[in-house]
Each structure stands twice: as C-alpha cells, then as structure tokens.
Amino acid sequence: MATEAAPRLRGVELRAESVVDGVEDGVEDRGAFAIMGPVSDSSRGWIRTGSREFAHLQKSCREPNLATAQRELRAPNGCSVGRFARAIRESTSHVQSPMADSRSTSAATPAILTAAAVPSAPSAHTPASLPDRLRWLRAFRNAVKSHHPTLCALASDEVGKTTFEALAADILPLIASCNWHLRHARGLLATTRVRGGGLFGLGHAVERRRLPVGRVLVIATWNYPVQLLGIQLVQAIVAGNSVVVKPSERAPRTQALLLKLAIAATDGIPSMRGAIETRTASREEGARLLRDERFDHVVFTGSTAVGRAIAEVCASKLLPTTLELSGSDTAFILGDADARAAARAVFLGFTGNAGQTCMAPRRTLVERPALAAFSDELARLVAGAKRVRLVDAHAANATRTAAASAMTLGGRSIVGALEPTDGRAMRPIAVLDCPVETELFFGRHFGPALAVRAVDSLEEALALHAQIGQYLATSVWTRAPRARRAEIERAIASCGSSLVHFNSVLLPSAHPGIALGGHAASGWGISRGASGLLGLTREVTVTRTSRFLAPPVEEPPPSAVAWLSRIVAWPTRPSRAAIAIDAIDATAAIDLPDRINTESRATASHEPPSNEPTRPRSEANSHATAQVTPTSSHRPEIHA
C-alpha cells in the first residue's frame, strides 16, 4: 500500500495512508478521522487538513476515534468545544469512513491520518431502550410469520427436513419464544430492590440492575437452523447486546434469510441500526472471528469436539461462553410403565428430524417386566417407518456403521435386518440387547438409531447411564411415581440432565420458558428461558447511602463492643446443637464477652485491667459457665 511522505509535527510522526476495508496492518480505525500518538508532554504542534487549522496538540492521544481526539486536543484561540467539534466534522467531511467498502488501492482512495500501528479498542455499545428492543421483536416475529413458507422450503432443501418438521420444530418454537419474551422480558430485566440486609441495610438503598454484556458472537448450528439461531438472536438482542452471527455452512441460505428478516426489522428504529451483523458461513470464519475480533460473550451450539476447541481459545482470553453441545440421553422404562405409549414416544424422539436432535434418546433401558410390550410396539413402528433424509451421506453411513458394529458384537436388529443407506437417506434402526461397549450404546452417532437393553432395576440402569458422560434431557416412564418416589428422586438427582421428562420425550422441551443447559461433555451455560436471557446480561448492584449516615473512622469504646457482643450471642431459643457445643467447650463462647467486660470496667475506672494469674482450664470453664444465666426471655446476662 502506497504511503505518502510523513510530515513532522514537533516530535510527532504522522503519515497519511490509504485505507482498504478499514484495516491497515491489523489496525481498524472506527472513526471518520483518527489521530494516534504517542506524543510527549512537551510536544505541541498544529494539525492541518487542507488549509484549516483546528487543534492544538496537547499531551497524548491514544485511542483512534473522534471522541478521544476531541478530549485530548485543546481548541486554539479560545474556540469553544462545540465549535471545535464542528470544525473537525466539517474539515473531514470529505474523508471516507474506514468502514466503507473499498476494494481498490488506487491513488483515488481517500486517506486518513494515522500514526504507528496501535490496536484499536472496540467502540462502546450503547444499547437501545427496552421498548425499542421489544418493538424490534414484534417486527421480527411478524416477518418470520410472513416468510415461513420460504424458510421451510430452504430448510427442507439444505438439511433434509420435511415441510412439517420445519414448520413444527423450527418456525412454531421460534414464534412461541418471541411471544414469551414479549410477555416476560420487562419483568425479568427490570431493576429490583434488594431488601433484608439487617444491620448492614440500615441507611442504604440497594438495587439490582441487569445490563447487557456487550458484543455477542453467535456461532450457529444447522440441525434446527431457524429455531436455535432465532431464539439465540432474540435473547441476545432483547438483553440489549449487539450481535455478530456466523451462520452454519450447512444451512447458509436458510439462515441468511432469517438474518435478513432480523436486520430488516430494525428499519424505523434508529437505536437498533447496526445491532445485528453477519459474517460468511464458511467453516474457517468461526476461527477467524475468535482470533481477530473482540467479543464479550460467545454462544455456540454444536459438537463436543468443536465446543472444546472453542472453549480453549476463549479460556486464553477469559472470554465467557455458552456451549450447548451434543447430548447422549437415556429413556428409562420402569416395570410399571405404559410400555406401548413409551415405545411410541421414544420412536418419535429418535426418528424426528432424522435423529439429528441433541436431546434425542440414544438408548432405552427397560426393566424386564415392561420389555416384551415395549419391544413389540417398537418393532411394529420401526418396520413401518419410511426412510428419512439426513444432512448428508456421511452422517447416514456413520449411523448405519454404528448399528452394524453393535450387531456384530451380539446385538439384534429389532426387525431382523439392517438395510443399506441410499445416499443421505436411511431407515430407522433399533438394536435389542445392545452391548454396552459399543459406539451405538454410547450414542456417538447423530442419526435415527436406538440402543435397547434390559435391566433388572433402576439402580442398574442409572449405573449404565452414568458411564455416558453427556447429559441434556432424560425421560422416565412410570405409572406410579409416588410409589417409587425415593428411587425417582434419586434418578433426578443423579442423571446429570437439566431436563427430566416424566412420561414424555422431547415435546415438553419446546416450551419457551424452559431453560436448557449442558452438563459434563454436553457443555455449560444456559440457553432459552429466563436463565438464558439473564445469562446474556451482567448484574450490576447500585447502592445509595443516606447523607445522615456517618461512616465510623475509629473503633468504638469497649462498652459498645460489649453491647455488640451481647447482640451477637443473643439466641431466641437455644438449640440442641448449641447446647452440645457449649457442653464440649464453653470457653470459646464466653471468654470474649468476659474479657470485654473486664476491659470496660477498667476503662470506666481509669485503671488498667487486673492481672490475675491464669486459672487452670477446668476452673476457667466452671467460672465462665457460672457467669452466664439465661433470663426468662432467653436473653443471656453477663454478670460483672
């Protein structure tokens, strides 16, 4: 890139550079006019653009934006700050913004003043007001409603969904989430008073606020290209953040249309302009964004392997993340369950969306009394199932290979045969007596295949489930949850999932108020629901102290300390635990107030405390115990 001769301004070396795509040597200049230092305190000089003199350089100017330049430069000849700022804007009106799209390095490219390369800080994000954000949300929801046939068609073409699946599992959940946030966002994000501080609340008013985290990167996934990206976008924007979206390389057209609708919804809302940015959908773009751009939070949905790589990069920058990674979940069919209803729900769970759902059941552990009825109904459903289309042929082949390996080691196809794949299409598979050591049992596939295994008890089932290490949603089937309450409570506590469904699979998780969070290798952080929205904010506590409350500057007199000690030791009702502790050793509870009273008496008489010889421990205990007697109101009296 051509560089003009650098003028000398009293120890400050500036150079005029052509700007291509707003980046030169890794420095991004965000203002229309940039002045960068460093400049020594004694360095002073006039900066000229054309023939206009408009500032006197003073001290240093380190940040490449106009606001900093105005703060760090002193207007000449008594010029007011307002006139000075207008002079800068007028004199640089012909300068092209560095963010403008420039694809040529010709001499006609406008130039800006820069100094040696200094990394630029991201511009401060000013969030739109909550009413403006909710106004955007209504416009976005209505746009999704109007364009849902096109969105469904694109999702069907790119990832193999049926039109019904795209409508029922992508469009409808996103619309429901928009409506839920319109109803609840104000209450969730409202400033609240913090009460009940006791002694430390006297004279102080405390309030809790929710502020946006700043700039959020969303790395989108493909298996639910409208629902998942749409809800993540809604929560980030409603929370007040600016959002950068990297669409999935497997659903670029579907998500491009969704983002186009989201950006179009900002029209007519000036405070929302620029709040949503998009990047290319290439696989390499995510790594580039994490390397080259600055964010305040990263949201990723995808595989555990990619999530682990993202976590490593973000950890080196202390960058918070929400990682919704792969699940490998279990359906527990207890002996008293409606086994046929369970089979139908499990079949829907592992074949819906061609088995490409992170919360889909990968294995079913069936207590033996329910095994026959469950297997009969599942066999009937699998035998009559149609072929489903996966995202690509590789996914279909990987799923079939996992089932074939399990059958080689002793598993049995529930329909007696294992059909070959047809490109990216395949028929659902269920393997009975699936060996535990297989990839199918561990759920390392992402397609319509299910491992089925009989167990003798729920304890055995939970032990097998504990070996998996990936948990999102678990389902439990029983007709009498109260009769086995202890076992079921233990299952809820130990299964590791953030969602536990009783007598259902997947369907309740579409509720927009339900939070989803991974555990172990399934990620961390919360998405969706109230916790997902609040997770994209930061809590700020603001306190206001009464002007009549004077802070203490020195320790109070011993009499006040003794009074405070009485307050601390004032039980409303002695508990058994307290009595037991006093029986073991009362010295720890009594020595302090006894010593304080001694010091208090000495101070009152202007005499030093008496130096009595140290008593044996047993004598001290008996003496101290005799000095404390409860009154009728259970308030202890410390006798002189």
Side-chain angles (χ1 to χ4, degrees), residues 299-317:
V299 178
F300 170 75
T301 303
S303 69
T304 298
V306 177
R308 182 176 286 111
I310 290 175
E312 291 175 357
V313 174
C314 293
S316 66
K317 301 181 178 183

Side-chain angles (χ1 to χ4, degrees), residues 392-627:
D392 55 29
H394 174 75
N397 289 330
T399 302
R400 185 188 183 280
T401 299
S405 298
M407 293 172 63
T408 301
L409 294 176
R412 300 178 292 113
S413 171
I414 201 168
V415 294
L418 185 61
E419 297 184 13
T421 60
D422 182 11
R424 64 174 182 172
M426 65 175 294
R427 195 180 299 277
I429 306 167
V431 177
L432 298 175
D433 301 326
C434 182
V436 174
E437 64 274 12
T438 60
E439 290 192 355
L440 184 68
F441 186 86
F442 273 81
R444 293 173 182 151
H445 58 286
F446 203 55
L450 179 74
V452 180
R453 188 174 180 86
V455 294
D456 293 318
S457 64
L458 181 58
E459 287 72 16
E460 180 186 351
L462 289 171
L464 292 172
H465 175 78
Q467 300 179 31
I468 305 303
Q470 291 177 294
Y471 314 106
L472 283 177
T474 299
S475 62
V476 181
W477 289 80
T478 177
R479 277 195 176 101
R482 293 184 179 180
R484 304 181 65 170
R485 183 172 182 176
E487 289 181 281
I488 289 173
E489 290 297 328
R490 187 162 57 251
I492 293 175
S494 62
C495 69
S497 299
S498 63
L499 287 174
V500 180
H501 303 304
F502 280 90
N503 299 328
S504 186
V505 175
L506 284 182
L507 290 180
S509 63
H511 189 294
I514 288 180
L516 177 63
H519 179 69
S522 290
W524 55 63
I526 301 294
S527 62
R528 305 193 311 174
S531 298
L533 177 63
L534 297 179
L536 293 175
T537 66
R538 59 189 182 92
E539 183 176 307
V540 176
T541 301
V542 178
T543 67
R544 294 180 176 86
T545 301
S546 171
R547 62 189 179 91
F548 300 105
L549 185 66
V553 295
E554 58 185 23
E555 286 193 8
S559 59
V561 177
W563 174 84
L564 181 61
S565 178
R566 292 190 186 99
I567 296 298
V568 172
W570 184 8
T572 58
R573 179 176 299 176
S575 64
R576 292 184 179 180
I579 294 173
I581 293 174
D582 290 341
I584 295 173
D585 185 4
T587 305
I590 301 304
D591 277 352
L592 177 61
D594 194 33
R595 178 169 53 84
I596 290 173
N597 275 295
T598 302
E599 294 178 357
S600 179
R601 292 196 306 272
T603 302
S605 60
H606 304 285
E607 297 178 358
S610 60
N611 297 321
E612 296 182 7
T614 303
R615 295 189 300 266
R617 182 173 181 82
S618 59
E619 181 184 349
N621 287 349
S622 61
H623 174 74
T625 303
Q627 297 299 311

Side-chain angles (χ1 to χ4, degrees), residues 129-140:
S129 65
L130 183 56
D132 280 354
R133 280 143 38 200
L134 297 181
R135 181 181 168 192
W136 168 85
L137 182 56
R138 291 187 189 93
F140 176 58

Side-chain angles (χ1 to χ4, degrees), residues 31 90 109 202 273 317 354 358 467 494 545:
E90 293 170 1
T109 304
L202 297 177
R273 289 173 185 166
K317 301 181 178 183
C358 56
Q467 300 179 31
S494 62
T545 301

Side-chain angles (χ1 to χ4, degrees), residues 37 75 89 95 245 266 367 449:
R89 288 195 293 269
V95 180
V245 178
T266 64
E367 287 188 340

Side-chain angles (χ1 to χ4, degrees), residues 125-211:
H125 170 64
T126 302
S129 65
L130 183 56
D132 280 354
R133 280 143 38 200
L134 297 181
R135 181 181 168 192
W136 168 85
L137 182 56
R138 291 187 189 93
F140 176 58
R141 177 199 61 188
N142 295 338
V144 171
K145 288 182 176 181
S146 300
H147 293 80
H148 81 266
T150 307
L151 288 168
C152 291
L154 289 172
S156 177
D157 182 61
E158 288 188 316
V159 298
K161 289 176 177 284
T162 66
T163 302
F164 172 75
E165 284 179 332
L167 182 61
D170 271 279
I171 303 298
L172 290 180
L174 175 55
I175 294 174
S177 180
C178 291
N179 292 332
W180 186 89
H181 283 86
L182 285 170
R183 290 193 301 269
H184 298 285
R186 290 182 185 274
L188 292 171
L189 300 177
T191 298
T192 58
R193 289 288 299 271
V194 181
R195 305 181 185 275
L199 179 65
F200 296 99
L202 297 177
H204 306 288
V206 183
E207 64 182 28
R208 182 185 296 114
R209 300 183 183 182
R210 308 299 310 196
L211 300 182

